Amino acid sequence: WAAAPAQAQPFMTTVATVERLAEAGDWTALVSTCEDAELDLVHDDLEAAASAQLYAAQLLGHLLLRELEAARFVWKRAPAAAQAHAEASGAWAVGKALWRRDTTAARAALTAGSWTSKAASTLASALERRGGGGGRG
């Protein structure tokens, strides 16, 4: 995760929680934590990279839960700066492929993804082990 300003300390606590939940495989709690943090992101002055990594984790968490519609809405409401970040756009590339029911493209997107954060890397690996995702939620 990118370094955040000192006033963003609660965000860093969220990052640690998201990483712990990813490692534990608790996708439901991870998505819930990301959703709560997403509401706070609107009020924080964080780097685009920091918020993009949170959006990527949230997207991948929804994909692991087979909640494609929820992932789609996360992508639509993510700020442009987050969408432009490689990790978030990579996560959505997987989601788009799954939306089209193209598991080959989903696997290719997982392999090509830029998973720089610990949480996204863990989630992408879990999704890859699952065989690229699943059906619509």
Side-chain angles (χ1 to χ4, degrees):
W1 295 84
Q7 71 268 24
Q9 195 60 34
F11 176 77
M12 297 313 289
T13 301
T14 300
V15 168
T17 300
V18 168
E19 289 174 351
R20 182 180 48 76
L21 293 169
E23 289 175 352
D26 191 345
W27 318 133
T28 302
L30 180 137
V31 166
S32 178
T33 300
C34 288
E35 287 170 349
D36 291 343
E38 182 183 1
L39 296 173
D40 294 334
L41 286 176
V42 176
H43 306 292
D44 289 340
D45 184 27
L46 296 175
E47 292 182 22
S51 65
Q53 290 169 346
L54 183 65
Y55 280 105
Q58 188 175 4
L59 284 163
L60 292 167
H62 278 299
L63 297 178
L64 279 161
L65 291 170
R66 302 178 192 273
E67 298 173 347
L68 290 175
E69 286 190 30
R72 182 173 151 255
F73 286 118
V74 168
W75 180 252
K76 285 182 169 221
R77 68 180 179 259
Q83 290 183 356
H85 190 271
E87 196 162 72
S89 64
W92 182 236
V94 176
K96 280 193 303 192
L98 292 173
W99 188 264
R100 294 187 316 264
R101 293 178 170 36
D102 186 348
T103 55
T104 301
R107 281 189 211 100
L110 280 167
T111 301
S114 175
W115 314 118
T116 57
S117 73
K118 185 176 181 180
S121 178
T122 302
L123 292 164
S125 293
L127 197 56
E128 195 166 8
R129 283 191 305 274
R130 180 180 279 178
R136 290 190 184 167

